[in-house]
Each structure stands twice: as structure tokens, then as C-alpha cells.
Amino acid sequence: MKSTRILALALSAMLAAATFAAAQDDAQASLETAKRHYRSRDFRGAITELHRTIELDPTRADALYLLGYSHQELREYSEAVDYFGRAFQADPTFDPRTIFQPRPAQPN
């Protein structure tokens, strides 16, 4: 009985880890799409995609900061300031200069 419970817990943990990894992969793909929109000056498209990124992974300071940049480009300054602040709340060590650099692989 005890071993069955341990096995069920282990399987649940593995499934949760796989689901989390998939969400991170989806968030990264979404962020890359948003960057393409941003580079082509489609700031509304970037904002839409960045909201999807944040929905998948709310801890993405890079996506939050890029939301700020996108709103800034549209002269929506109060929204820009809000997202810049949220980026640093999500990660106080975040460096905005890294947004368009490749993201290092996450350890498993």
C-alpha cells in the first residue's frame, strides 16, 4: 500500500515537471514571436504575444520589460512604467540589455 502511494506521488511529480517544462518551452517560443513583432515595429502584435508569454510563465522579467518597451513605443507611458516595474518585481537582478540575447539553457 505504501509503495503504491510513493509510486503515485513520484509519477505525479514527474508529470508536473514535464508540464512545467512544456509551459516554459511554449513561453520561450511565444517570446521569440513577440520579439519578431517588436523588431518589425508591430508593437500591438508584440503586446498581444507578450501577454500570452506572461500567461504561460508569469515570472518572465524579459517579457514584462519588452511589454514596457512596446507600450513606450506606442507612447502609452503609464503602461510602460507599470511593466518596467513589474519586470524588476519578478526578477530584481534582471538586466534589460539581455532581452535580445539568447537565453541560457535552464538546468533540469
Side-chain angles (χ1 to χ4, degrees):
M1 180 73 115
K2 195 173 199 177
S3 62
T4 303
R5 185 173 179 193
I6 291 171
L7 180 61
L9 287 173
L11 288 173
S12 293
M14 288 177 12
L15 180 60
T19 302
F20 178 73
Q24 283 188 322
D25 289 346
D26 290 347
Q28 184 62 37
S30 177
L31 179 62
E32 294 307 319
T33 300
K35 288 178 184 180
R36 284 193 296 277
H37 285 294
Y38 185 89
R39 285 186 189 113
S40 67
R41 304 192 59 74
D42 175 11
F43 303 116
R44 290 280 173 220
I47 288 169
T48 298
E49 195 63 36
L50 288 162
H51 280 288
R52 181 174 183 274
T53 305
I54 298 306
E55 202 174 284
L56 291 164
D57 185 355
T59 66
R60 296 294 300 254
D62 50 358
L64 290 163
Y65 208 85
L66 191 54
L67 265 166
Y69 277 149
S70 298
H71 282 290
Q72 179 179 311
E73 290 292 337
L74 294 170
R75 297 182 178 175
E76 298 169 347
Y77 300 117
S78 62
E79 291 90 344
V81 169
D82 178 53
Y83 283 111
F84 291 146
R86 287 178 58 187
F88 288 108
Q89 285 176 342
D91 180 1
T93 65
F94 174 68
D95 182 353
R97 297 173 296 181
T98 64
I99 288 177
F100 288 98
Q101 295 175 358
R103 192 167 193 217
Q106 297 293 321
N108 291 331

